[in-house]
Amino acid sequence: MRATGLPIRGRFQPARAVSVMPARDAPTLGESAIRHAQALQKKLFIDGEWHDAVSGKTLPVEDPRTGEEILRVAEGDKADVDKAVIAARRAFDEGPWPRMSAKERGRLMFKLADLMERDAEELAQLETLDNGKPIWYSRNADIPLSYDHIRYYAGWADKIQGKTIPVDGPYWAYTFHEPLGVVGQIVPWNFPLLMAAWKLGPALAAGNTVVLKTAEQTPLTAIKIGELIAEAGFPNGVVNIISGHGPTAGSALVEHPGIAFTGSTEVGRKIGAQTAHALKPCTLELGGKSPVIVCPDVDVEQAVKDASFALFFNHGQCCAAGSRRATLLRAAFGPGPRHGSPWAAGPTAPYMGLYVHEAIYDEFVDKAAKAAAGRRVGDPFGDVDQGPQVDRDQYNKILEYIDHGKSQGARLLTGGSAKGDRGYFIEPTVFADVRDDMLISRDEIFGPVQCISKFSTLEEVIRRANDTPYGLASGVFSTNVDSINTLTRGIKAGTVWVNCYNVYDSAVPFGGYKDSGMGREKGEYALTNYTQIKAVYQPLVNPAWR
């Protein structure tokens, strides 16, 4: 079983039995999360041991519910990255890792997944404390999907194989699929543990060693994974984990091995240029402007629920939520372009948001506003739909975009303000009658702001959906098979969800067209990012047959 959750009527519903603790008092659960966090190592995981940063610097870890600092962790930079790469190289060239059979590597990965499942509640609390997402999401989506992903690739470890190829002459030829060596991996803050699992799984299954850099906002679950990797018995140096800022630790990592990066397109271009100049392999899972197209033949009530889930899941901080990730890893190489104060999407292509057919537009808009207004915002350790945004920078950026929507004439239906006077909470916000030339239409907001536009024909909506340099994901809601076939083939995007959204399975690839990246995460396809092919010829002497 690979997928642990499916979105059913706007929520993740477990696809198999998972351990879900009963609801508890939010303050008590929040205090438990802080205790777990404070009990973690606060250092960098290098060569199987925990180290202070060479510089002695530390990073603050904030509670997004209050904006208050709860602890500090080591802040790695170039000197620490250099140490980690040396350790990973030694582990790959000289340690027991390359001498293990593929099946033995798989057993270690299975053990890691078992330990993650054993400590699932602690991981869920840490993820919610670090990121602000509701504990329900962490327990039922992020954490189970993460350890199932490691299990999926553990099963692949002894199944990565080449081919025997018939050739002319008295020879036989065959291929090996060999690991690349040391791999640098940079993950974002919106799904900290899951994105780490997406990266670690195929890299380790293929036999590589890894230096993983976490987002500076969300280091906690990666530190916990370092502790579990040590407990599982991985050889020293196979996995190294650095917390640090992009311009220091991130940039230094790009100077070393091949890179797998999840983040913004601006930063992805810089990484791609740097790795191309050095002739190093690179995969980039970048930004998206994901269209959600609602046709006139749908059940409007259900379509509103599904479209709401598509946008508001994870507080709108999701690359596939109809908005590009210009700021997801904005610190990896320093500031990107701006339009005034907010982070900008750069090109002025239309925002790929929610397109609703004119025949049902008014009904849909009215119900969408009511659905958003009914979302419960509050302490993510309680029974809520939405917690705080990840940090003050993201919180301020979203509020500035909301102000632009108001000033440029979009029709505000609900929300539009901060919520409370403490922490990084924002009201679920819905704008209608959004024109393609508005800033909230062009730029990524990466927050709980739904922008609704009207369309008339399939030809029109396909043209508008594709009028962008991006193509990560998309959604189609219709009961007409001809409309579905036209749209799924017409939209240029790496994923098309039909009458569902945010369904993820470890076996199914994820990645984008055009400026949304290159390479694929997940599934057998991801293994090609972490292997290289060697061809071997051998002579045949008096073969029985050829």
Side-chain angles (χ1 to χ4, degrees):
M1 179 69 70
R2 293 180 293 271
T4 61
L6 300 175
I8 304 296
R9 298 189 182 275
R11 282 185 179 268
F12 273 88
Q13 177 169 312
R16 60 171 174 78
V18 295
S19 176
V20 180
M21 293 184 66
R24 291 189 285 175
D25 180 63
T28 302
L29 195 56
E31 291 167 3
S32 171
I34 292 173
R35 287 194 297 272
H36 283 309
Q38 292 174 339
L40 291 173
Q41 292 283 346
K42 313 299 189 300
K43 302 182 180 184
L44 310 175
F45 187 59
I46 300 174
D47 205 15
E49 297 179 345
W50 296 95
H51 298 261
D52 291 320
V54 171
S55 67
K57 293 181 180 179
T58 58
L59 284 170
V61 176
E62 288 187 350
D63 184 341
R65 300 174 300 167
T66 63
E68 297 173 354
E69 181 180 314
I70 54 176
L71 55 87
R72 300 186 75 89
V73 300
E75 178 186 338
D77 58 20
K78 186 178 186 306
D80 305 289
V81 169
D82 290 346
K83 285 176 56 178
V85 171
I86 290 170
R89 173 54 61 187
R90 185 168 54 246
F92 184 81
D93 290 340
E94 304 169 14
W97 188 245
R99 293 165 179 81
M100 286 184 178
S101 70
K103 188 169 290 185
E104 288 174 310
R105 290 198 302 270
R107 288 194 189 105
L108 283 176
M109 295 178 67
F110 277 121
K111 187 171 182 180
L112 173 60
D114 290 344
L115 293 174
M116 291 169 68
E117 185 170 19
R118 181 199 70 186
D119 293 349
E121 175 61 19
E122 179 182 348
L123 284 166
Q125 291 182 25
L126 290 171
E127 197 79 331
T128 288
L129 178 65
D130 222 6
N131 174 273
K133 65 183 66 192
I135 188 66
W136 199 94
Y137 286 169
S138 295
R139 285 172 173 165
N140 292 278
D142 294 59
I143 307 309
L145 285 170
S146 296
Y147 59 68
D148 274 11
H149 194 78
I150 297 296
R151 282 201 182 108
Y152 172 82
Y153 280 105
W156 264 109
D158 61 353
K159 300 172 186 65
I160 300 170
Q161 55 198 17
K163 297 180 179 181
T164 301
I165 304 170
V167 295
D168 288 338
Y171 303 96
W172 70 297
Y174 56 93
T175 59
F176 290 121
H177 289 206
E178 297 184 341
L180 296 176
V182 179
V183 176
Q185 301 183 322
I186 302 175
V187 295
W189 49 254
N190 61 336
F191 293 94
L193 182 60
L194 184 57
M195 295 299 96
W198 279 21
K199 296 279 192 289
L200 290 171
L204 296 175
N208 298 281
T209 56
V210 173
V211 178
L212 177 76
K213 192 199 89 68
T214 68
E216 64 269 21
Q217 299 93 335
T218 53
L220 297 182
T221 46
I223 292 174
K224 176 65 179 178
I225 291 302
E227 295 180 353
L228 297 181
I229 283 170
E231 183 179 349
F234 278 74
N236 293 346
V238 171
V239 179
N240 306 270
I241 300 172
I242 303 288
S243 52
H245 289 284
T248 51
S251 184
L253 186 55
V254 176
E255 295 174 3
H256 282 288
I259 287 291
F261 170 78
T262 295
S264 74
T265 299
E266 283 78 22
V267 173
R269 285 196 184 99
K270 294 178 182 179
I271 291 175
Q274 190 170 338
T275 54
H277 180 75
L279 296 178
K280 294 186 296 190
C282 177
T283 66
L284 303 170
E285 197 264 282
L286 305 177
K289 285 181 171 286
S290 303
V292 175
I293 298 169
V294 182
C295 295
D297 48 79
V298 298
D299 176 336
V300 174
E301 193 78 34
Q302 186 60 48
V304 165
K305 292 178 182 178
D306 291 336
S308 177
F309 177 67
L311 187 284
F312 290 110
F313 175 63
N314 204 45
H315 318 166
Q317 296 174 158
C318 183
C319 59
S323 184
R324 195 172 64 82
R325 264 187 307 195
T327 63
L328 186 57
L329 270 171
R330 58 182 178 273
F333 277 85
R338 292 173 180 259
H339 286 294
S341 179
W343 281 80
T348 56
Y351 163 90
M352 296 296 101
L354 178 56
Y355 295 110
V356 179
H357 192 271
E358 60 187 6
I360 59 171
Y361 182 80
D362 291 339
E363 180 185 1
F364 187 98
V365 162
D366 179 65
K367 290 181 176 179
K370 292 176 181 176
R375 290 180 62 81
R376 300 161 298 174
V377 181
D379 189 327
F381 290 104
D383 188 15
V384 300
D385 301 301
Q386 180 180 310
Q389 307 307 128
V390 70
D391 64 8
R392 182 163 296 280
D393 284 346
Q394 190 69 9
Y395 169 85
N396 288 337
K397 180 182 77 77
I398 295 165
L399 291 176
E400 290 180 28
Y401 271 116
I402 289 172
D403 288 342
H404 278 289
K406 296 174 182 176
S407 65
Q408 292 185 334
R411 180 158 56 104
L412 178 64
L413 300 178
T414 189
S417 301
K419 187 174 180 65
D421 56 4
R422 192 169 185 237
Y424 307 130
F425 298 90
I426 293 177
E427 295 175 341
T429 298
V430 178
F431 285 105
D433 305 341
V434 177
R435 302 189 312 271
D436 289 347
D437 62 344
M438 292 178 177
L439 196 63
I440 59 169
S441 179
R442 297 200 312 264
D443 290 2
E444 182 223 23
I445 301 173
F446 216 65
V449 182
Q450 188 175 53
C451 302
I452 308 177
S453 300
K454 184 187 302 184
F455 78 93
S456 299
T457 67
L458 293 186
E459 292 76 12
E460 171 208 341
V461 78
I462 289 172
R463 174 183 55 77
R464 293 173 68 189
N466 290 334
D467 187 14
T468 172
Y470 304 99
L472 186 60
S474 57
V476 172
F477 293 92
S478 176
T479 57
N480 184 308
V481 67
D482 295 325
S483 296
I484 291 170
N485 286 335
T486 297
L487 290 168
T488 54
R489 285 157 177 76
I491 295 170
K492 305 301 181 186
T495 297
V496 184
W497 286 292
V498 178
N499 295 325
C500 60
Y501 211 88
N502 283 327
V503 179
Y504 296 93
D505 188 288
S506 297
V508 181
F510 183 80
Y513 286 24
K514 301 182 283 186
D515 285 2
S516 287
M518 57 187 183
R520 289 294 182 268
E521 308 273 7
K522 305 195 295 121
E524 182 179 1
Y525 296 87
L527 293 167
T528 63
N529 302 331
Y530 296 100
T531 55
Q532 50 195 345
I533 299 172
K534 177 184 288 181
V536 180
Y537 290 88
Q538 290 188 20
L540 286 170
V541 179
N542 298 320
W545 56 271
R546 282 194 287 158

